Amino acid sequence: MNGTGRPRPESGFELYAWLFMRVSGVVLLVMALAHLAIMHVVNNVEVIDYQFVVRRYLTPFWRTYDLVMLWLALIHGLNGVRTLVEDYVGAPGWRVAALASLYVIGFVFLALGSLVILTFRPVANP
Amino acid sequence: MKVTLKIRRFNPEKDEKPWWGEYEVEAEPTERLLDALNYVKWYVDGTLTYRRSCAHGVCGSDAMLINGRNALACKVLLKSVGNKVTVEPMRGLRVIKDLLVDLEPFFEKYKQVKPYLITHSLTPEKERMQSPKEREVFDDTTRCILCAACTTSCPSFWANPEYVGPAAIVNAHRFIFDSRDEGREERLEILNSSDGVWRCRTIFNCVDACPRGINVTRAIGEVKKALLFRKV
């Protein structure tokens, strides 16, 4: 702690991160609850099978729905963890390692999830 | 009533680590914690060290951690803390001795937000006019006495001493929303960093700690909002 000098001026990234958390939080509240209702109240694990997914993914609506939810939820969660790291991981080495792994995990899961949602094609007899 | 004071003592010249001193004080329930501390200092152990000045909740010198919460010792009545009260120095700042902490980093943060009137336009002949309505906007934040109770109760500040902290933001708010001030942009720019308002996690400890009853988290929220909408 030196306490001298003023805070570093930044690009406003934190402002957009903050705004994103609020907006995505509100959107997710609706989307995630609807998702939960569809998967566990209206339907249940006995009903949900490959055919169920195939039927849903025939229309672009559910693909879009899932894609938006994937991006919002994953980035919302990762940004939350990033905030924790920023607050509580002081050692530069650990901080860089934690942030790097967060970004890698985020990229891999976003890419994989998007790939599945966008390129899913039903096969006749799975 | 008989009150047992459990005070966190530390003299860096003598002690390796802080220890708890217990002192029994006979006092009226309507006396203040500061009176009990004064009793200990004047009649029991003169080495007990703490700040106090006006002793009437105005100067903000005697903020400390009382029964786990930041408050001014001169505003806390003994009847409200019970027969046993623990007194510790405020957290997040270096302890100089006993209840006395180094406030230098705190005031450094205060200076960062330029807590003074900034004007570029010509000085008016008589005075800078302001309507009661314009004054109302920042009335709450004019009441800060810089006791540091809010900043040292803030977990974000404990976690990261580079965070400007609630007190500095309150004092920035006082000028950002002052219609006579013209330094709004500079101050907003200073607070628009990861160590500025964005490190606030709306924990509300500051609101709980403020002996002046300032709604600190609300003020921080208003600064965030000003940052969000100024470019729109």
Side-chain angles (χ1 to χ4, degrees), chain A residues 1-8 10 12 14-15 18-19 83 86-88 95, chain B residues 105 108 112 159 161-162 164 190 192-195 198-199 201 224 227-228:
Chain A
M1 171 167 93
N2 57 35
T4 52
R6 42 184 269 184
R8 290 155 282 144
E10 273 156 67
E14 290 294 337
L15 186 153
W18 178 85
L19 185 63
T83 305
E86 294 277 354
D87 272 358
Y88 293 110
R95 177 190 289 253
Chain B
E108 224 19 87
Q112 281 172 6
E162 292 299 317
V164 291
I190 292 164
N192 189 22
S193 79
S194 57
D195 289 328
W198 306 117
R199 212 172 271 285
R201 315 284 182 226
K224 285 175 179 168
L227 275 166
L228 188 60

PDB file of all heavy atoms in Angstrom, chain A residues 1-8 10 12 14-15 18-19 83 86-88 95, chain B residues 105 108 112 159 161-162 164 190 192-195 198-199 201 224 227-228:
ATOM      1  N   MET A   1       0.847  -1.201   0.000  1.00  0.00           N
ATOM      2  CA  MET A   1       0.000   0.000   0.000  1.00  0.00           C
ATOM      3  C   MET A   1       0.878   1.244   0.000  1.00  0.00           C
ATOM      4  O   MET A   1       1.723   1.415   0.850  1.00  0.00           O
ATOM      5  CB  MET A   1      -0.858  -0.044   1.270  1.00  0.00           C
ATOM      6  CG  MET A   1      -1.616   1.219   1.521  1.00  0.00           C
ATOM      7  SD  MET A   1      -2.850   0.953   2.788  1.00  0.00           S
ATOM      8  CE  MET A   1      -1.973   1.425   4.246  1.00  0.00           C
ATOM      9  N   ASN A   2       0.702   2.092  -0.983  1.00  0.00           N
ATOM     10  CA  ASN A   2       1.438   3.350  -0.906  1.00  0.00           C
ATOM     11  C   ASN A   2       0.489   4.534  -0.735  1.00  0.00           C
ATOM     12  O   ASN A   2       0.814   5.502  -0.088  1.00  0.00           O
ATOM     13  CB  ASN A   2       2.363   3.530  -2.110  1.00  0.00           C
ATOM     14  CG  ASN A   2       1.614   3.472  -3.423  1.00  0.00           C
ATOM     15  OD1 ASN A   2       0.478   3.922  -3.496  1.00  0.00           O
ATOM     16  ND2 ASN A   2       2.232   2.918  -4.446  1.00  0.00           N
ATOM     17  N   GLY A   3      -0.716   4.420  -1.285  1.00  0.00           N
ATOM     18  CA  GLY A   3      -1.709   5.453  -1.050  1.00  0.00           C
ATOM     19  C   GLY A   3      -1.410   6.763  -1.748  1.00  0.00           C
ATOM     20  O   GLY A   3      -2.149   7.722  -1.612  1.00  0.00           O
ATOM     21  N   THR A   4      -0.318   6.798  -2.484  1.00  0.00           N
ATOM     22  CA  THR A   4       0.011   8.056  -3.148  1.00  0.00           C
ATOM     23  C   THR A   4      -0.480   8.034  -4.584  1.00  0.00           C
ATOM     24  O   THR A   4      -0.776   6.992  -5.134  1.00  0.00           O
ATOM     25  CB  THR A   4       1.528   8.290  -3.147  1.00  0.00           C
ATOM     26  OG1 THR A   4       2.149   7.112  -3.669  1.00  0.00           O
ATOM     27  CG2 THR A   4       2.030   8.577  -1.764  1.00  0.00           C
ATOM     28  N   GLY A   5      -0.540   9.212  -5.174  1.00  0.00           N
ATOM     29  CA  GLY A   5      -0.964   9.309  -6.561  1.00  0.00           C
ATOM     30  C   GLY A   5      -2.435   9.020  -6.692  1.00  0.00           C
ATOM     31  O   GLY A   5      -3.080   8.548  -5.766  1.00  0.00           O
ATOM     32  N   ARG A   6      -2.977   9.319  -7.850  1.00  0.00           N
ATOM     33  CA  ARG A   6      -4.399   9.102  -8.031  1.00  0.00           C
ATOM     34  C   ARG A   6      -4.637   7.759  -8.704  1.00  0.00           C
ATOM     35  O   ARG A   6      -3.725   7.166  -9.271  1.00  0.00           O
ATOM     36  CB  ARG A   6      -4.970  10.233  -8.860  1.00  0.00           C
ATOM     37  CG  ARG A   6      -4.086  10.632 -10.024  1.00  0.00           C
ATOM     38  CD  ARG A   6      -4.654  11.790 -10.725  1.00  0.00           C
ATOM     39  NE  ARG A   6      -5.527  11.336 -11.789  1.00  0.00           N
ATOM     40  CZ  ARG A   6      -6.124  12.152 -12.635  1.00  0.00           C
ATOM     41  NH1 ARG A   6      -5.980  13.440 -12.500  1.00  0.00           N
ATOM     42  NH2 ARG A   6      -6.897  11.687 -13.592  1.00  0.00           N
ATOM     43  N   PRO A   7      -5.868   7.274  -8.633  1.00  0.00           N
ATOM     44  CA  PRO A   7      -6.146   6.000  -9.276  1.00  0.00           C
ATOM     45  C   PRO A   7      -5.840   6.083 -10.770  1.00  0.00           C
ATOM     46  O   PRO A   7      -6.027   7.126 -11.384  1.00  0.00           O
ATOM     47  CB  PRO A   7      -7.640   5.807  -9.049  1.00  0.00           C
ATOM     48  CG  PRO A   7      -7.992   6.701  -7.924  1.00  0.00           C
ATOM     49  CD  PRO A   7      -7.037   7.844  -7.975  1.00  0.00           C
ATOM     50  N   ARG A   8      -5.384   4.964 -11.293  1.00  0.00           N
ATOM     51  CA  ARG A   8      -5.063   4.950 -12.725  1.00  0.00           C
ATOM     52  C   ARG A   8      -6.308   5.233 -13.557  1.00  0.00           C
ATOM     53  O   ARG A   8      -7.345   4.616 -13.346  1.00  0.00           O
ATOM     54  CB  ARG A   8      -4.542   3.557 -13.111  1.00  0.00           C
ATOM     55  CG  ARG A   8      -3.193   3.226 -12.564  1.00  0.00           C
ATOM     56  CD  ARG A   8      -3.026   1.721 -12.465  1.00  0.00           C
ATOM     57  NE  ARG A   8      -3.732   1.193 -11.304  1.00  0.00           N
ATOM     58  CZ  ARG A   8      -4.356   0.043 -11.270  1.00  0.00           C
ATOM     59  NH1 ARG A   8      -4.436  -0.704 -12.328  1.00  0.00           N
ATOM     60  NH2 ARG A   8      -4.946  -0.368 -10.167  1.00  0.00           N
ATOM     61  N   GLU A  10      -8.701   4.688 -16.492  1.00  0.00           N
ATOM     62  CA  GLU A  10      -8.877   3.500 -17.314  1.00  0.00           C
ATOM     63  C   GLU A  10      -9.863   3.738 -18.433  1.00  0.00           C
ATOM     64  O   GLU A  10     -10.494   4.776 -18.509  1.00  0.00           O
ATOM     65  CB  GLU A  10      -9.302   2.316 -16.434  1.00  0.00           C
ATOM     66  CG  GLU A  10      -8.089   1.597 -15.860  1.00  0.00           C
ATOM     67  CD  GLU A  10      -8.409   0.838 -14.595  1.00  0.00           C
ATOM     68  OE1 GLU A  10      -9.155  -0.129 -14.691  1.00  0.00           O
ATOM     69  OE2 GLU A  10      -7.899   1.226 -13.524  1.00  0.00           O
ATOM     70  N   GLY A  12     -12.670   2.724 -18.982  1.00  0.00           N
ATOM     71  CA  GLY A  12     -14.101   2.643 -18.707  1.00  0.00           C
ATOM     72  C   GLY A  12     -14.581   1.208 -18.749  1.00  0.00           C
ATOM     73  O   GLY A  12     -15.774   0.943 -18.719  1.00  0.00           O
ATOM     74  N   GLU A  14     -14.428  -1.047 -16.480  1.00  0.00           N
ATOM     75  CA  GLU A  14     -15.146  -1.423 -15.263  1.00  0.00           C
ATOM     76  C   GLU A  14     -16.592  -0.927 -15.301  1.00  0.00           C
ATOM     77  O   GLU A  14     -17.495  -1.559 -14.767  1.00  0.00           O
ATOM     78  CB  GLU A  14     -14.433  -0.877 -14.026  1.00  0.00           C
ATOM     79  CG  GLU A  14     -13.112  -1.562 -13.720  1.00  0.00           C
ATOM     80  CD  GLU A  14     -13.266  -3.033 -13.330  1.00  0.00           C
ATOM     81  OE1 GLU A  14     -14.350  -3.427 -12.879  1.00  0.00           O
ATOM     82  OE2 GLU A  14     -12.279  -3.779 -13.489  1.00  0.00           O
ATOM     83  N   LEU A  15     -16.790   0.237 -15.921  1.00  0.00           N
ATOM     84  CA  LEU A  15     -18.150   0.766 -16.049  1.00  0.00           C
ATOM     85  C   LEU A  15     -19.001  -0.197 -16.874  1.00  0.00           C
ATOM     86  O   LEU A  15     -20.110  -0.563 -16.472  1.00  0.00           O
ATOM     87  CB  LEU A  15     -18.112   2.138 -16.714  1.00  0.00           C
ATOM     88  CG  LEU A  15     -19.422   2.926 -16.802  1.00  0.00           C
ATOM     89  CD1 LEU A  15     -19.123   4.413 -16.839  1.00  0.00           C
ATOM     90  CD2 LEU A  15     -20.261   2.581 -18.000  1.00  0.00           C
ATOM     91  N   TRP A  18     -19.680  -3.401 -15.062  1.00  0.00           N
ATOM     92  CA  TRP A  18     -20.706  -3.173 -14.042  1.00  0.00           C
ATOM     93  C   TRP A  18     -22.094  -3.151 -14.677  1.00  0.00           C
ATOM     94  O   TRP A  18     -23.029  -3.800 -14.204  1.00  0.00           O
ATOM     95  CB  TRP A  18     -20.427  -1.839 -13.342  1.00  0.00           C
ATOM     96  CG  TRP A  18     -21.406  -1.437 -12.295  1.00  0.00           C
ATOM     97  CD1 TRP A  18     -21.398  -1.827 -10.982  1.00  0.00           C
ATOM     98  CD2 TRP A  18     -22.527  -0.557 -12.444  1.00  0.00           C
ATOM     99  NE1 TRP A  18     -22.445  -1.247 -10.311  1.00  0.00           N
ATOM    100  CE2 TRP A  18     -23.152  -0.466 -11.177  1.00  0.00           C
ATOM    101  CE3 TRP A  18     -23.059   0.149 -13.511  1.00  0.00           C
ATOM    102  CZ2 TRP A  18     -24.291   0.316 -10.958  1.00  0.00           C
ATOM    103  CZ3 TRP A  18     -24.193   0.924 -13.298  1.00  0.00           C
ATOM    104  CH2 TRP A  18     -24.793   1.002 -12.034  1.00  0.00           C
ATOM    105  N   LEU A  19     -22.198  -2.426 -15.803  1.00  0.00           N
ATOM    106  CA  LEU A  19     -23.474  -2.326 -16.499  1.00  0.00           C
ATOM    107  C   LEU A  19     -23.914  -3.697 -17.012  1.00  0.00           C
ATOM    108  O   LEU A  19     -25.079  -4.086 -16.868  1.00  0.00           O
ATOM    109  CB  LEU A  19     -23.351  -1.336 -17.670  1.00  0.00           C
ATOM    110  CG  LEU A  19     -24.636  -1.043 -18.422  1.00  0.00           C
ATOM    111  CD1 LEU A  19     -25.643  -0.367 -17.502  1.00  0.00           C
ATOM    112  CD2 LEU A  19     -24.354  -0.147 -19.627  1.00  0.00           C
ATOM    113  N   THR A  83     -14.142 -10.511 -10.439  1.00  0.00           N
ATOM    114  CA  THR A  83     -14.259  -9.503  -9.391  1.00  0.00           C
ATOM    115  C   THR A  83     -13.658 -10.009  -8.083  1.00  0.00           C
ATOM    116  O   THR A  83     -12.923  -9.295  -7.405  1.00  0.00           O
ATOM    117  CB  THR A  83     -15.743  -9.168  -9.169  1.00  0.00           C
ATOM    118  OG1 THR A  83     -16.303  -8.777 -10.415  1.00  0.00           O
ATOM    119  CG2 THR A  83     -15.911  -8.058  -8.172  1.00  0.00           C
ATOM    120  N   GLU A  86      -9.928 -10.010  -8.429  1.00  0.00           N
ATOM    121  CA  GLU A  86      -9.430  -8.639  -8.330  1.00  0.00           C
ATOM    122  C   GLU A  86      -9.404  -8.171  -6.869  1.00  0.00           C
ATOM    123  O   GLU A  86      -8.517  -7.448  -6.446  1.00  0.00           O
ATOM    124  CB  GLU A  86     -10.320  -7.675  -9.129  1.00  0.00           C
ATOM    125  CG  GLU A  86     -10.305  -7.895 -10.633  1.00  0.00           C
ATOM    126  CD  GLU A  86      -9.131  -7.225 -11.314  1.00  0.00           C
ATOM    127  OE1 GLU A  86      -8.390  -6.503 -10.628  1.00  0.00           O
ATOM    128  OE2 GLU A  86      -8.946  -7.453 -12.529  1.00  0.00           O
ATOM    129  N   ASP A  87     -10.419  -8.579  -6.112  1.00  0.00           N
ATOM    130  CA  ASP A  87     -10.505  -8.147  -4.720  1.00  0.00           C
ATOM    131  C   ASP A  87      -9.529  -8.894  -3.817  1.00  0.00           C
ATOM    132  O   ASP A  87      -8.910  -8.292  -2.946  1.00  0.00           O
ATOM    133  CB  ASP A  87     -11.922  -8.376  -4.185  1.00  0.00           C
ATOM    134  CG  ASP A  87     -12.828  -7.183  -4.464  1.00  0.00           C
ATOM    135  OD1 ASP A  87     -12.331  -6.202  -5.031  1.00  0.00           O
ATOM    136  OD2 ASP A  87     -14.019  -7.247  -4.117  1.00  0.00           O
ATOM    137  N   TYR A  88      -9.421 -10.192  -4.005  1.00  0.00           N
ATOM    138  CA  TYR A  88      -8.776 -10.980  -2.959  1.00  0.00           C
ATOM    139  C   TYR A  88      -7.495 -11.686  -3.345  1.00  0.00           C
ATOM    140  O   TYR A  88      -6.813 -12.232  -2.473  1.00  0.00           O
ATOM    141  CB  TYR A  88      -9.772 -11.996  -2.385  1.00  0.00           C
ATOM    142  CG  TYR A  88     -10.886 -11.299  -1.642  1.00  0.00           C
ATOM    143  CD1 TYR A  88     -12.180 -11.267  -2.148  1.00  0.00           C
ATOM    144  CD2 TYR A  88     -10.621 -10.632  -0.452  1.00  0.00           C
ATOM    145  CE1 TYR A  88     -13.184 -10.591  -1.471  1.00  0.00           C
ATOM    146  CE2 TYR A  88     -11.615  -9.958   0.222  1.00  0.00           C
ATOM    147  CZ  TYR A  88     -12.892  -9.940  -0.289  1.00  0.00           C
ATOM    148  OH  TYR A  88     -13.887  -9.270   0.366  1.00  0.00           O
ATOM    149  N   ARG A  95      -2.476 -13.905  -9.277  1.00  0.00           N
ATOM    150  CA  ARG A  95      -3.530 -13.127  -9.935  1.00  0.00           C
ATOM    151  C   ARG A  95      -3.526 -13.377 -11.449  1.00  0.00           C
ATOM    152  O   ARG A  95      -4.564 -13.683 -12.039  1.00  0.00           O
ATOM    153  CB  ARG A  95      -3.320 -11.639  -9.656  1.00  0.00           C
ATOM    154  CG  ARG A  95      -4.326 -10.755 -10.351  1.00  0.00           C
ATOM    155  CD  ARG A  95      -3.899  -9.306 -10.230  1.00  0.00           C
ATOM    156  NE  ARG A  95      -4.051  -8.836  -8.859  1.00  0.00           N
ATOM    157  CZ  ARG A  95      -5.010  -7.992  -8.478  1.00  0.00           C
ATOM    158  NH1 ARG A  95      -5.860  -7.538  -9.352  1.00  0.00           N
ATOM    159  NH2 ARG A  95      -5.114  -7.620  -7.231  1.00  0.00           N
TER     160      ARG A  95
ATOM    161  N   PRO B 105      -3.043   7.445   4.754  1.00  0.00           N
ATOM    162  CA  PRO B 105      -3.570   6.875   3.499  1.00  0.00           C
ATOM    163  C   PRO B 105      -5.028   7.294   3.260  1.00  0.00           C
ATOM    164  O   PRO B 105      -5.427   7.514   2.125  1.00  0.00           O
ATOM    165  CB  PRO B 105      -3.482   5.363   3.717  1.00  0.00           C
ATOM    166  CG  PRO B 105      -2.533   5.167   4.826  1.00  0.00           C
ATOM    167  CD  PRO B 105      -2.592   6.403   5.684  1.00  0.00           C
ATOM    168  N   GLU B 108      -4.989  10.751   1.963  1.00  0.00           N
ATOM    169  CA  GLU B 108      -4.405  10.706   0.619  1.00  0.00           C
ATOM    170  C   GLU B 108      -5.524  10.452  -0.400  1.00  0.00           C
ATOM    171  O   GLU B 108      -5.608  11.118  -1.421  1.00  0.00           O
ATOM    172  CB  GLU B 108      -3.401   9.555   0.613  1.00  0.00           C
ATOM    173  CG  GLU B 108      -2.059   9.783  -0.042  1.00  0.00           C
ATOM    174  CD  GLU B 108      -1.628  11.206  -0.251  1.00  0.00           C
ATOM    175  OE1 GLU B 108      -1.031  11.816   0.651  1.00  0.00           O
ATOM    176  OE2 GLU B 108      -1.899  11.706  -1.361  1.00  0.00           O
ATOM    177  N   GLN B 112      -7.229  12.814  -3.450  1.00  0.00           N
ATOM    178  CA  GLN B 112      -7.291  12.364  -4.843  1.00  0.00           C
ATOM    179  C   GLN B 112      -8.528  12.867  -5.578  1.00  0.00           C
ATOM    180  O   GLN B 112      -8.487  13.103  -6.782  1.00  0.00           O
ATOM    181  CB  GLN B 112      -7.282  10.827  -4.897  1.00  0.00           C
ATOM    182  CG  GLN B 112      -5.909  10.225  -4.709  1.00  0.00           C
ATOM    183  CD  GLN B 112      -5.968   8.716  -4.570  1.00  0.00           C
ATOM    184  OE1 GLN B 112      -7.032   8.100  -4.722  1.00  0.00           O
ATOM    185  NE2 GLN B 112      -4.842   8.111  -4.287  1.00  0.00           N
ATOM    186  N   ALA B 159      -9.816  -5.405   1.591  1.00  0.00           N
ATOM    187  CA  ALA B 159      -9.224  -6.315   0.612  1.00  0.00           C
ATOM    188  C   ALA B 159      -8.235  -5.585  -0.282  1.00  0.00           C
ATOM    189  O   ALA B 159      -7.250  -6.155  -0.717  1.00  0.00           O
ATOM    190  CB  ALA B 159     -10.312  -6.965  -0.234  1.00  0.00           C
ATOM    191  N   PRO B 161      -6.348  -1.891  -0.361  1.00  0.00           N
ATOM    192  CA  PRO B 161      -6.116  -0.550   0.195  1.00  0.00           C
ATOM    193  C   PRO B 161      -5.974   0.528  -0.872  1.00  0.00           C
ATOM    194  O   PRO B 161      -5.932   1.710  -0.538  1.00  0.00           O
ATOM    195  CB  PRO B 161      -4.798  -0.710   0.971  1.00  0.00           C
ATOM    196  CG  PRO B 161      -4.568  -2.168   1.090  1.00  0.00           C
ATOM    197  CD  PRO B 161      -5.246  -2.811  -0.070  1.00  0.00           C
ATOM    198  N   GLU B 162      -5.918   0.140  -2.141  1.00  0.00           N
ATOM    199  CA  GLU B 162      -5.836   1.144  -3.199  1.00  0.00           C
ATOM    200  C   GLU B 162      -7.220   1.713  -3.544  1.00  0.00           C
ATOM    201  O   GLU B 162      -7.330   2.732  -4.222  1.00  0.00           O
ATOM    202  CB  GLU B 162      -5.204   0.546  -4.460  1.00  0.00           C
ATOM    203  CG  GLU B 162      -3.730   0.194  -4.306  1.00  0.00           C
ATOM    204  CD  GLU B 162      -2.871   1.409  -3.977  1.00  0.00           C
ATOM    205  OE1 GLU B 162      -3.068   2.464  -4.584  1.00  0.00           O
ATOM    206  OE2 GLU B 162      -2.019   1.293  -3.073  1.00  0.00           O
ATOM    207  N   VAL B 164     -10.360   3.867  -3.407  1.00  0.00           N
ATOM    208  CA  VAL B 164     -10.477   5.207  -2.818  1.00  0.00           C
ATOM    209  C   VAL B 164     -11.358   5.212  -1.573  1.00  0.00           C
ATOM    210  O   VAL B 164     -11.160   6.022  -0.680  1.00  0.00           O
ATOM    211  CB  VAL B 164     -11.016   6.272  -3.806  1.00  0.00           C
ATOM    212  CG1 VAL B 164     -10.022   6.576  -4.890  1.00  0.00           C
ATOM    213  CG2 VAL B 164     -12.361   5.875  -4.356  1.00  0.00           C
ATOM    214  N   ILE B 190     -11.607  10.468 -12.347  1.00  0.00           N
ATOM    215  CA  ILE B 190     -10.809   9.857 -11.278  1.00  0.00           C
ATOM    216  C   ILE B 190     -11.548   8.662 -10.674  1.00  0.00           C
ATOM    217  O   ILE B 190     -10.962   7.627 -10.390  1.00  0.00           O
ATOM    218  CB  ILE B 190     -10.492  10.901 -10.184  1.00  0.00           C
ATOM    219  CG1 ILE B 190      -9.536  11.957 -10.725  1.00  0.00           C
ATOM    220  CG2 ILE B 190      -9.901  10.240  -8.940  1.00  0.00           C
ATOM    221  CD1 ILE B 190      -9.469  13.213  -9.878  1.00  0.00           C
ATOM    222  N   ASN B 192     -13.763   6.852 -12.152  1.00  0.00           N
ATOM    223  CA  ASN B 192     -14.131   5.845 -13.151  1.00  0.00           C
ATOM    224  C   ASN B 192     -13.008   4.839 -13.364  1.00  0.00           C
ATOM    225  O   ASN B 192     -12.694   4.466 -14.471  1.00  0.00           O
ATOM    226  CB  ASN B 192     -14.464   6.544 -14.479  1.00  0.00           C
ATOM    227  CG  ASN B 192     -15.063   5.587 -15.495  1.00  0.00           C
ATOM    228  OD1 ASN B 192     -15.603   4.544 -15.118  1.00  0.00           O
ATOM    229  ND2 ASN B 192     -14.982   5.927 -16.767  1.00  0.00           N
ATOM    230  N   SER B 193     -12.365   4.413 -12.303  1.00  0.00           N
ATOM    231  CA  SER B 193     -11.302   3.428 -12.453  1.00  0.00           C
ATOM    232  C   SER B 193     -11.643   2.222 -11.601  1.00  0.00           C
ATOM    233  O   SER B 193     -12.575   2.259 -10.815  1.00  0.00           O
ATOM    234  CB  SER B 193      -9.964   4.022 -12.004  1.00  0.00           C
ATOM    235  OG  SER B 193      -9.884   3.993 -10.606  1.00  0.00           O
ATOM    236  N   SER B 194     -10.873   1.168 -11.782  1.00  0.00           N
ATOM    237  CA  SER B 194     -11.185  -0.046 -11.016  1.00  0.00           C
ATOM    238  C   SER B 194     -10.945   0.191  -9.523  1.00  0.00           C
ATOM    239  O   SER B 194     -11.499  -0.523  -8.687  1.00  0.00           O
ATOM    240  CB  SER B 194     -10.353  -1.224 -11.511  1.00  0.00           C
ATOM    241  OG  SER B 194      -8.989  -0.909 -11.421  1.00  0.00           O
ATOM    242  N   ASP B 195     -10.149   1.190  -9.177  1.00  0.00           N
ATOM    243  CA  ASP B 195      -9.974   1.534  -7.763  1.00  0.00           C
ATOM    244  C   ASP B 195     -10.887   2.685  -7.343  1.00  0.00           C
ATOM    245  O   ASP B 195     -10.794   3.212  -6.244  1.00  0.00           O
ATOM    246  CB  ASP B 195      -8.517   1.902  -7.466  1.00  0.00           C
ATOM    247  CG  ASP B 195      -7.622   0.676  -7.529  1.00  0.00           C
ATOM    248  OD1 ASP B 195      -8.104  -0.408  -7.189  1.00  0.00           O
ATOM    249  OD2 ASP B 195      -6.453   0.810  -7.933  1.00  0.00           O
ATOM    250  N   TRP B 198     -16.074   1.672  -8.916  1.00  0.00           N
ATOM    251  CA  TRP B 198     -16.415   0.311  -9.363  1.00  0.00           C
ATOM    252  C   TRP B 198     -15.935  -0.751  -8.399  1.00  0.00           C
ATOM    253  O   TRP B 198     -16.245  -1.926  -8.559  1.00  0.00           O
ATOM    254  CB  TRP B 198     -15.881   0.067 -10.772  1.00  0.00           C
ATOM    255  CG  TRP B 198     -16.358   1.123 -11.711  1.00  0.00           C
ATOM    256  CD1 TRP B 198     -15.604   2.018 -12.388  1.00  0.00           C
ATOM    257  CD2 TRP B 198     -17.729   1.441 -12.023  1.00  0.00           C
ATOM    258  NE1 TRP B 198     -16.403   2.865 -13.108  1.00  0.00           N
ATOM    259  CE2 TRP B 198     -17.705   2.541 -12.906  1.00  0.00           C
ATOM    260  CE3 TRP B 198     -18.962   0.915 -11.652  1.00  0.00           C
ATOM    261  CZ2 TRP B 198     -18.863   3.129 -13.417  1.00  0.00           C
ATOM    262  CZ3 TRP B 198     -20.117   1.497 -12.165  1.00  0.00           C
ATOM    263  CH2 TRP B 198     -20.062   2.581 -13.038  1.00  0.00           C
ATOM    264  N   ARG B 199     -15.138  -0.409  -7.420  1.00  0.00           N
ATOM    265  CA  ARG B 199     -14.765  -1.407  -6.428  1.00  0.00           C
ATOM    266  C   ARG B 199     -15.807  -1.507  -5.309  1.00  0.00           C
ATOM    267  O   ARG B 199     -15.718  -2.364  -4.430  1.00  0.00           O
ATOM    268  CB  ARG B 199     -13.372  -1.135  -5.861  1.00  0.00           C
ATOM    269  CG  ARG B 199     -12.662  -2.420  -5.495  1.00  0.00           C
ATOM    270  CD  ARG B 199     -11.230  -2.204  -5.112  1.00  0.00           C
ATOM    271  NE  ARG B 199     -10.290  -2.248  -6.205  1.00  0.00           N
ATOM    272  CZ  ARG B 199      -9.892  -3.367  -6.813  1.00  0.00           C
ATOM    273  NH1 ARG B 199     -10.365  -4.516  -6.456  1.00  0.00           N
ATOM    274  NH2 ARG B 199      -9.021  -3.312  -7.795  1.00  0.00           N
ATOM    275  N   ARG B 201     -18.982  -2.778  -3.761  1.00  0.00           N
ATOM    276  CA  ARG B 201     -19.825  -3.961  -3.997  1.00  0.00           C
ATOM    277  C   ARG B 201     -21.157  -3.838  -3.273  1.00  0.00           C
ATOM    278  O   ARG B 201     -21.781  -4.834  -2.939  1.00  0.00           O
ATOM    279  CB  ARG B 201     -19.100  -5.232  -3.542  1.00  0.00           C
ATOM    280  CG  ARG B 201     -17.650  -5.343  -3.948  1.00  0.00           C
ATOM    281  CD  ARG B 201     -17.485  -5.714  -5.410  1.00  0.00           C
ATOM    282  NE  ARG B 201     -16.079  -5.860  -5.758  1.00  0.00           N
ATOM    283  CZ  ARG B 201     -15.534  -5.332  -6.854  1.00  0.00           C
ATOM    284  NH1 ARG B 201     -16.262  -4.620  -7.675  1.00  0.00           N
ATOM    285  NH2 ARG B 201     -14.268  -5.511  -7.118  1.00  0.00           N
ATOM    286  N   LYS B 224     -22.066   6.427  -9.640  1.00  0.00           N
ATOM    287  CA  LYS B 224     -22.048   5.401 -10.692  1.00  0.00           C
ATOM    288  C   LYS B 224     -23.019   5.783 -11.811  1.00  0.00           C
ATOM    289  O   LYS B 224     -22.703   5.669 -12.985  1.00  0.00           O
ATOM    290  CB  LYS B 224     -22.463   4.043 -10.112  1.00  0.00           C
ATOM    291  CG  LYS B 224     -21.401   3.359  -9.275  1.00  0.00           C
ATOM    292  CD  LYS B 224     -21.968   2.085  -8.654  1.00  0.00           C
ATOM    293  CE  LYS B 224     -20.935   1.349  -7.811  1.00  0.00           C
ATOM    294  NZ  LYS B 224     -21.551   0.283  -7.001  1.00  0.00           N
ATOM    295  N   LEU B 227     -21.699   8.537 -13.927  1.00  0.00           N
ATOM    296  CA  LEU B 227     -20.697   8.033 -14.854  1.00  0.00           C
ATOM    297  C   LEU B 227     -21.340   7.339 -16.041  1.00  0.00           C
ATOM    298  O   LEU B 227     -20.902   7.453 -17.175  1.00  0.00           O
ATOM    299  CB  LEU B 227     -19.779   7.044 -14.132  1.00  0.00           C
ATOM    300  CG  LEU B 227     -18.606   7.656 -13.384  1.00  0.00           C
ATOM    301  CD1 LEU B 227     -17.981   6.643 -12.454  1.00  0.00           C
ATOM    302  CD2 LEU B 227     -17.568   8.161 -14.375  1.00  0.00           C
ATOM    303  N   LEU B 228     -22.406   6.631 -15.744  1.00  0.00           N
ATOM    304  CA  LEU B 228     -23.085   5.845 -16.773  1.00  0.00           C
ATOM    305  C   LEU B 228     -23.769   6.742 -17.798  1.00  0.00           C
ATOM    306  O   LEU B 228     -23.711   6.488 -18.994  1.00  0.00           O
ATOM    307  CB  LEU B 228     -24.112   4.939 -16.087  1.00  0.00           C
ATOM    308  CG  LEU B 228     -24.819   3.901 -16.940  1.00  0.00           C
ATOM    309  CD1 LEU B 228     -23.808   2.946 -17.546  1.00  0.00           C
ATOM    310  CD2 LEU B 228     -25.819   3.137 -16.084  1.00  0.00           C
TER     311      LEU B 228
END
